[in-house]
Amino acid sequence: MKSLHIIAFTHNKIDLDDIGQFHIEDFHLKDRLNQLKSSLELDELMYLSTCNRVELVFVTKKHIDKLFLADFFKSFNSKWDHAQINKAVDLAELFHGEKAAEHMFRVASSLDSLVIGEREIITQVRKAYDLCNEYNLTGDVIRLLTQRTIQVAKKIYTESDISKNPVSVVSLAYHQLIDKNIKKDSNFLIVGAGKTISTMLKFLS
């Protein structure tokens, strides 16, 4: 457990614009994550990216300090200069060992979400693991962590009132739009093609 670490960038600590710089496009994801794992000689790696957070879960016995983080972000994005790397080091929120596991539990159960009670995050965590496992980036530690995280999140959703009125960022935005009495035959200009936009389009259709 001591070798488990998480580097997090969330809406709790930094602006959404800053979070965006840690997003990796899907068509670059496999190559960049494999490069990151290989260059830092990480034992395992998992990458979770949503509209308001980026989580880098990894396993290593190396000491995690600012020098390690600088090397980490230099490998994360080879195009970044020293100023961008230093900014990433300063913005990073770190969790280690049991604290890292507790953080994942809070994330997957939406206790750390922008909208508490939303259920999209548990699916996003599962999909992030499945993809990284497909890329041969994960091992037993992250596998067991993810299994336990999903179990804990489901228990919280079923045994508490957190999901009594299920909501999400998209559903709240959609209902606010409906409240404006937009005509059903209105045209929309959609900017972006990410997961949040795709979900919103399902609501609109």
Side-chain angles (χ1 to χ4, degrees):
M1 183 65 75
K2 291 182 179 179
S3 60
L4 175 67
H5 310 277
I6 296 178
I7 298 174
F9 301 95
T10 76
H11 63 93
N12 292 319
K13 299 291 183 180
I14 62 178
D15 295 335
L16 296 183
D17 287 342
D18 285 326
I19 293 174
Q21 68 183 313
F22 300 101
H23 175 73
I24 303 175
E25 296 295 338
D26 290 346
F27 49 86
H28 291 312
L29 194 58
K30 183 177 181 179
D31 289 341
R32 285 186 58 180
L33 292 182
N34 272 290
Q35 168 62 26
L36 179 61
K37 182 185 178 186
S38 175
S39 63
L40 290 172
E41 298 179 332
L42 302 177
D43 297 322
E44 302 181 39
L45 176 63
M46 177 175 136
Y47 173 81
L48 169 67
S49 177
T50 74
C51 60
N52 51 49
R53 74 172 58 250
V54 168
E55 308 270 346
L56 290 146
V57 185
F58 60 98
V59 177
T60 183
K61 294 180 180 178
K62 294 181 179 180
H63 179 62
I64 310 301
D65 54 16
K66 286 196 173 184
L67 182 60
F68 174 89
L69 291 177
D71 288 339
F72 187 99
F73 291 117
K74 184 178 180 180
S75 296
F76 178 81
N77 192 329
S78 60
K79 296 180 180 179
W80 281 353
D81 58 25
H82 289 297
Q84 290 171 303
I85 291 172
N86 289 336
K87 181 179 180 181
V89 171
D90 291 337
L91 291 176
E93 190 175 3
L94 302 176
F95 301 90
H96 312 288
E98 291 184 5
K99 293 296 183 182
E102 290 173 7
H103 174 71
M104 282 302 294
F105 295 165
R106 291 183 61 85
V107 168
S109 59
S110 86
L111 295 175
D112 197 53
S113 292
L114 188 62
V115 179
I116 295 176
E118 59 95 3
R119 299 198 63 163
E120 291 174 305
I121 186 62
I122 191 171
T123 301
Q124 291 167 330
V125 170
R126 185 187 294 111
K127 286 183 176 180
Y129 169 76
D130 288 343
L131 189 61
C132 290
N133 184 55
E134 180 184 327
Y135 293 161
N136 295 314
L137 296 168
T138 61
D140 288 340
V141 174
I142 290 181
R143 176 179 60 81
L144 292 172
L145 171 67
T146 304
Q147 287 179 351
R148 185 57 179 160
T149 296
I150 299 301
Q151 291 171 357
V152 169
K154 285 182 176 179
K155 185 178 180 67
I156 290 174
Y157 283 124
T158 57
E159 297 184 9
S160 75
D161 290 335
I162 194 170
S163 60
K164 187 176 182 180
N165 296 303
V167 294
S168 68
V169 173
V170 175
S171 65
L172 290 176
Y174 171 75
H175 287 296
Q176 188 172 30
L177 186 65
I178 294 301
D179 289 342
K180 295 183 180 295
N181 296 317
I182 303 296
K183 294 181 179 180
K184 290 186 177 181
D185 60 351
S186 297
N187 293 320
F188 290 86
L189 172 64
I190 306 299
V191 180
K195 294 181 177 65
T196 302
I197 290 293
S198 298
T199 305
M200 174 59 91
L201 287 174
K202 291 178 182 178
F203 274 90
L204 292 176
S205 64

Short mmCIF file of all heavy atoms in Angstrom, two decimals, residues 96-130:
data_model
loop_
_atom_site.label_atom_id
_atom_site.label_comp_id
_atom_site.label_asym_id
_atom_site.label_seq_id
_atom_site.Cartn_x
_atom_site.Cartn_y
_atom_site.Cartn_z
N HIS A 96 -0.88 9.55 -0.68
CA HIS A 96 0.00 8.39 -0.61
C HIS A 96 -0.62 7.30 0.26
O HIS A 96 -1.32 7.59 1.23
CB HIS A 96 1.36 8.78 -0.02
CG HIS A 96 1.97 9.99 -0.64
ND1 HIS A 96 2.50 10.00 -1.91
CD2 HIS A 96 2.12 11.26 -0.16
CE1 HIS A 96 2.96 11.21 -2.19
NE2 HIS A 96 2.74 11.98 -1.15
N GLY A 97 -0.35 6.04 -0.10
CA GLY A 97 -0.77 4.91 0.72
C GLY A 97 -2.26 4.87 1.00
O GLY A 97 -3.09 4.98 0.09
N GLU A 98 -2.61 4.73 2.27
CA GLU A 98 -4.02 4.64 2.66
C GLU A 98 -4.79 5.91 2.29
O GLU A 98 -5.97 5.84 1.94
CB GLU A 98 -4.13 4.38 4.16
CG GLU A 98 -3.67 2.99 4.57
CD GLU A 98 -3.88 2.72 6.04
OE1 GLU A 98 -4.48 3.60 6.72
OE2 GLU A 98 -3.45 1.66 6.53
N LYS A 99 -4.13 7.06 2.37
CA LYS A 99 -4.78 8.33 2.01
C LYS A 99 -5.15 8.33 0.53
O LYS A 99 -6.17 8.90 0.13
CB LYS A 99 -3.88 9.51 2.34
CG LYS A 99 -3.63 9.73 3.83
CD LYS A 99 -4.92 10.09 4.54
CE LYS A 99 -4.66 10.38 6.02
NZ LYS A 99 -5.92 10.70 6.76
N ALA A 100 -4.32 7.69 -0.30
CA ALA A 100 -4.62 7.59 -1.73
C ALA A 100 -5.87 6.73 -1.94
O ALA A 100 -6.73 7.08 -2.76
CB ALA A 100 -3.43 7.00 -2.47
N ALA A 101 -5.96 5.62 -1.22
CA ALA A 101 -7.13 4.75 -1.33
C ALA A 101 -8.39 5.48 -0.87
O ALA A 101 -9.44 5.43 -1.53
CB ALA A 101 -6.92 3.48 -0.51
N GLU A 102 -8.29 6.19 0.25
CA GLU A 102 -9.43 6.96 0.76
C GLU A 102 -9.86 8.02 -0.26
O GLU A 102 -11.06 8.26 -0.45
CB GLU A 102 -9.07 7.62 2.09
CG GLU A 102 -8.91 6.64 3.24
CD GLU A 102 -8.39 7.32 4.50
OE1 GLU A 102 -8.28 8.58 4.49
OE2 GLU A 102 -8.09 6.60 5.47
N HIS A 103 -8.88 8.64 -0.90
CA HIS A 103 -9.20 9.66 -1.91
C HIS A 103 -9.99 9.04 -3.06
O HIS A 103 -10.99 9.60 -3.51
CB HIS A 103 -7.91 10.29 -2.43
CG HIS A 103 -8.13 11.24 -3.57
ND1 HIS A 103 -8.73 12.48 -3.42
CD2 HIS A 103 -7.83 11.12 -4.90
CE1 HIS A 103 -8.79 13.09 -4.59
NE2 HIS A 103 -8.26 12.28 -5.50
N MET A 104 -9.58 7.86 -3.54
CA MET A 104 -10.30 7.19 -4.62
C MET A 104 -11.72 6.82 -4.21
O MET A 104 -12.65 6.92 -5.01
CB MET A 104 -9.53 5.94 -5.06
CG MET A 104 -8.33 6.23 -5.94
SD MET A 104 -8.76 7.14 -7.46
CE MET A 104 -9.77 5.92 -8.31
N PHE A 105 -11.89 6.41 -2.96
CA PHE A 105 -13.23 6.10 -2.46
C PHE A 105 -14.12 7.34 -2.54
O PHE A 105 -15.28 7.26 -2.95
CB PHE A 105 -13.18 5.59 -1.02
CG PHE A 105 -12.46 4.28 -0.83
CD1 PHE A 105 -12.07 3.86 0.44
CD2 PHE A 105 -12.16 3.47 -1.92
CE1 PHE A 105 -11.41 2.66 0.61
CE2 PHE A 105 -11.50 2.25 -1.75
CZ PHE A 105 -11.12 1.85 -0.47
N ARG A 106 -13.58 8.48 -2.11
CA ARG A 106 -14.35 9.73 -2.13
C ARG A 106 -14.66 10.15 -3.57
O ARG A 106 -15.76 10.63 -3.85
CB ARG A 106 -13.57 10.84 -1.42
CG ARG A 106 -13.44 10.66 0.09
CD ARG A 106 -12.72 11.85 0.72
NE ARG A 106 -13.47 13.08 0.51
CZ ARG A 106 -14.47 13.49 1.29
NH1 ARG A 106 -14.85 12.76 2.31
NH2 ARG A 106 -15.09 14.62 1.04
N VAL A 107 -13.71 9.97 -4.45
CA VAL A 107 -13.92 10.34 -5.85
C VAL A 107 -15.04 9.50 -6.46
O VAL A 107 -16.00 10.04 -7.04
CB VAL A 107 -12.61 10.17 -6.67
CG1 VAL A 107 -12.90 10.27 -8.16
CG2 VAL A 107 -11.60 11.22 -6.26
N ALA A 108 -14.94 8.18 -6.35
CA ALA A 108 -15.89 7.29 -7.01
C ALA A 108 -17.29 7.37 -6.41
O ALA A 108 -18.28 7.11 -7.11
CB ALA A 108 -15.39 5.85 -6.94
N SER A 109 -17.40 7.75 -5.14
CA SER A 109 -18.71 7.86 -4.51
C SER A 109 -19.29 9.26 -4.64
O SER A 109 -20.33 9.55 -4.05
CB SER A 109 -18.61 7.46 -3.03
OG SER A 109 -17.69 8.30 -2.35
N SER A 110 -18.61 10.13 -5.39
CA SER A 110 -19.03 11.50 -5.71
C SER A 110 -18.94 12.47 -4.54
O SER A 110 -19.39 13.61 -4.64
CB SER A 110 -20.46 11.52 -6.30
OG SER A 110 -21.46 11.57 -5.30
N LEU A 111 -18.35 12.04 -3.42
CA LEU A 111 -18.19 12.95 -2.29
C LEU A 111 -17.23 14.08 -2.61
O LEU A 111 -17.25 15.12 -1.96
CB LEU A 111 -17.68 12.17 -1.06
CG LEU A 111 -18.64 11.12 -0.49
CD1 LEU A 111 -17.96 10.35 0.63
CD2 LEU A 111 -19.92 11.77 0.00
N ASP A 112 -16.39 13.87 -3.62
CA ASP A 112 -15.42 14.88 -4.02
C ASP A 112 -15.81 15.54 -5.34
O ASP A 112 -15.02 16.26 -5.94
CB ASP A 112 -14.03 14.22 -4.16
CG ASP A 112 -12.90 15.24 -4.16
OD1 ASP A 112 -12.84 16.05 -3.23
OD2 ASP A 112 -12.08 15.21 -5.11
N SER A 113 -17.03 15.27 -5.81
CA SER A 113 -17.48 15.78 -7.11
C SER A 113 -17.94 17.22 -7.03
O SER A 113 -18.30 17.72 -5.96
CB SER A 113 -18.62 14.92 -7.66
OG SER A 113 -18.17 13.64 -8.00
N LEU A 114 -17.97 17.86 -8.19
CA LEU A 114 -18.52 19.21 -8.29
C LEU A 114 -19.99 19.20 -7.90
O LEU A 114 -20.48 20.12 -7.24
CB LEU A 114 -18.35 19.72 -9.73
CG LEU A 114 -18.70 21.18 -10.01
CD1 LEU A 114 -17.80 22.11 -9.21
CD2 LEU A 114 -18.56 21.47 -11.51
N VAL A 115 -20.69 18.14 -8.28
CA VAL A 115 -22.09 17.94 -7.89
C VAL A 115 -22.16 16.64 -7.08
O VAL A 115 -22.05 15.55 -7.64
CB VAL A 115 -23.01 17.83 -9.13
CG1 VAL A 115 -24.46 17.58 -8.69
CG2 VAL A 115 -22.92 19.08 -9.97
N ILE A 116 -22.30 16.77 -5.78
CA ILE A 116 -22.34 15.59 -4.90
C ILE A 116 -23.61 14.79 -5.18
O ILE A 116 -24.70 15.34 -5.25
CB ILE A 116 -22.28 16.02 -3.42
CG1 ILE A 116 -20.94 16.67 -3.12
CG2 ILE A 116 -22.50 14.82 -2.50
CD1 ILE A 116 -20.81 17.21 -1.72
N GLY A 117 -23.43 13.50 -5.37
CA GLY A 117 -24.56 12.64 -5.67
C GLY A 117 -24.63 12.20 -7.13
O GLY A 117 -25.40 11.31 -7.47
N GLU A 118 -23.83 12.82 -7.97
CA GLU A 118 -23.83 12.41 -9.39
C GLU A 118 -23.20 11.03 -9.51
O GLU A 118 -22.28 10.68 -8.78
CB GLU A 118 -23.10 13.44 -10.25
CG GLU A 118 -21.64 13.68 -9.88
CD GLU A 118 -20.69 12.83 -10.70
OE1 GLU A 118 -21.14 12.10 -11.58
OE2 GLU A 118 -19.48 12.90 -10.42
N ARG A 119 -23.70 10.24 -10.47
CA ARG A 119 -23.27 8.85 -10.56
C ARG A 119 -22.39 8.58 -11.77
O ARG A 119 -21.97 7.44 -11.98
CB ARG A 119 -24.49 7.92 -10.58
CG ARG A 119 -25.34 8.04 -9.32
CD ARG A 119 -26.25 6.86 -9.14
NE ARG A 119 -25.51 5.62 -8.95
CZ ARG A 119 -26.04 4.50 -8.46
NH1 ARG A 119 -27.30 4.48 -8.12
NH2 ARG A 119 -25.30 3.40 -8.34
N GLU A 120 -22.12 9.59 -12.56
CA GLU A 120 -21.27 9.38 -13.74
C GLU A 120 -19.86 8.97 -13.36
O GLU A 120 -19.20 8.19 -14.06
CB GLU A 120 -21.23 10.65 -14.60
CG GLU A 120 -22.53 10.98 -15.29
CD GLU A 120 -22.47 12.32 -16.00
OE1 GLU A 120 -22.15 13.32 -15.34
OE2 GLU A 120 -22.75 12.34 -17.21
N ILE A 121 -19.38 9.48 -12.22
CA ILE A 121 -17.98 9.30 -11.86
C ILE A 121 -17.63 7.83 -11.62
O ILE A 121 -16.54 7.39 -11.97
CB ILE A 121 -17.62 10.15 -10.62
CG1 ILE A 121 -16.12 10.08 -10.33
CG2 ILE A 121 -18.45 9.75 -9.41
CD1 ILE A 121 -15.24 10.62 -11.42
N ILE A 122 -18.55 7.05 -11.08
CA ILE A 122 -18.24 5.64 -10.82
C ILE A 122 -18.01 4.90 -12.13
O ILE A 122 -17.12 4.04 -12.23
CB ILE A 122 -19.36 4.97 -9.98
CG1 ILE A 122 -18.89 3.59 -9.49
CG2 ILE A 122 -20.66 4.87 -10.75
CD1 ILE A 122 -19.83 2.97 -8.47
N THR A 123 -18.77 5.25 -13.16
CA THR A 123 -18.58 4.66 -14.49
C THR A 123 -17.27 5.13 -15.10
O THR A 123 -16.54 4.35 -15.73
CB THR A 123 -19.74 5.02 -15.41
OG1 THR A 123 -20.96 4.54 -14.84
CG2 THR A 123 -19.56 4.41 -16.80
N GLN A 124 -16.94 6.41 -14.89
CA GLN A 124 -15.70 6.96 -15.43
C GLN A 124 -14.48 6.29 -14.79
O GLN A 124 -13.48 6.05 -15.48
CB GLN A 124 -15.68 8.48 -15.20
CG GLN A 124 -16.70 9.21 -16.05
CD GLN A 124 -16.90 10.66 -15.61
OE1 GLN A 124 -16.75 11.00 -14.42
NE2 GLN A 124 -17.24 11.53 -16.55
N VAL A 125 -14.55 6.02 -13.50
CA VAL A 125 -13.45 5.33 -12.82
C VAL A 125 -13.28 3.93 -13.40
O VAL A 125 -12.16 3.50 -13.70
CB VAL A 125 -13.70 5.25 -11.30
CG1 VAL A 125 -12.69 4.32 -10.63
CG2 VAL A 125 -13.61 6.65 -10.68
N ARG A 126 -14.39 3.22 -13.57
CA ARG A 126 -14.32 1.85 -14.10
C ARG A 126 -13.76 1.85 -15.52
O ARG A 126 -12.91 1.02 -15.87
CB ARG A 126 -15.71 1.21 -14.10
CG ARG A 126 -15.69 -0.26 -14.53
CD ARG A 126 -17.08 -0.84 -14.68
NE ARG A 126 -17.78 -0.92 -13.41
CZ ARG A 126 -18.83 -0.17 -13.09
NH1 ARG A 126 -19.27 0.74 -13.95
NH2 ARG A 126 -19.43 -0.31 -11.93
N LYS A 127 -14.22 2.77 -16.35
CA LYS A 127 -13.75 2.83 -17.74
C LYS A 127 -12.27 3.22 -17.80
O LYS A 127 -11.52 2.72 -18.65
CB LYS A 127 -14.59 3.83 -18.53
CG LYS A 127 -15.99 3.32 -18.86
CD LYS A 127 -16.75 4.31 -19.73
CE LYS A 127 -18.11 3.76 -20.14
NZ LYS A 127 -18.86 4.74 -20.97
N ALA A 128 -11.84 4.11 -16.90
CA ALA A 128 -10.43 4.51 -16.87
C ALA A 128 -9.55 3.31 -16.54
O ALA A 128 -8.51 3.10 -17.17
CB ALA A 128 -10.22 5.61 -15.83
N TYR A 129 -9.99 2.50 -15.58
CA TYR A 129 -9.23 1.30 -15.24
C TYR A 129 -9.21 0.32 -16.42
O TYR A 129 -8.15 -0.22 -16.78
CB TYR A 129 -9.79 0.60 -14.01
CG TYR A 129 -9.16 -0.76 -13.83
CD1 TYR A 129 -7.86 -0.89 -13.34
CD2 TYR A 129 -9.83 -1.92 -14.24
CE1 TYR A 129 -7.25 -2.13 -13.24
CE2 TYR A 129 -9.23 -3.17 -14.14
CZ TYR A 129 -7.94 -3.26 -13.64
OH TYR A 129 -7.33 -4.48 -13.56
N ASP A 130 -10.37 0.06 -17.00
CA ASP A 130 -10.46 -0.91 -18.10
C ASP A 130 -9.54 -0.51 -19.25
O ASP A 130 -8.86 -1.37 -19.84
CB ASP A 130 -11.90 -1.01 -18.60
CG ASP A 130 -12.81 -1.74 -17.61
OD1 ASP A 130 -12.28 -2.43 -16.73
OD2 ASP A 130 -14.04 -1.60 -17.74
#
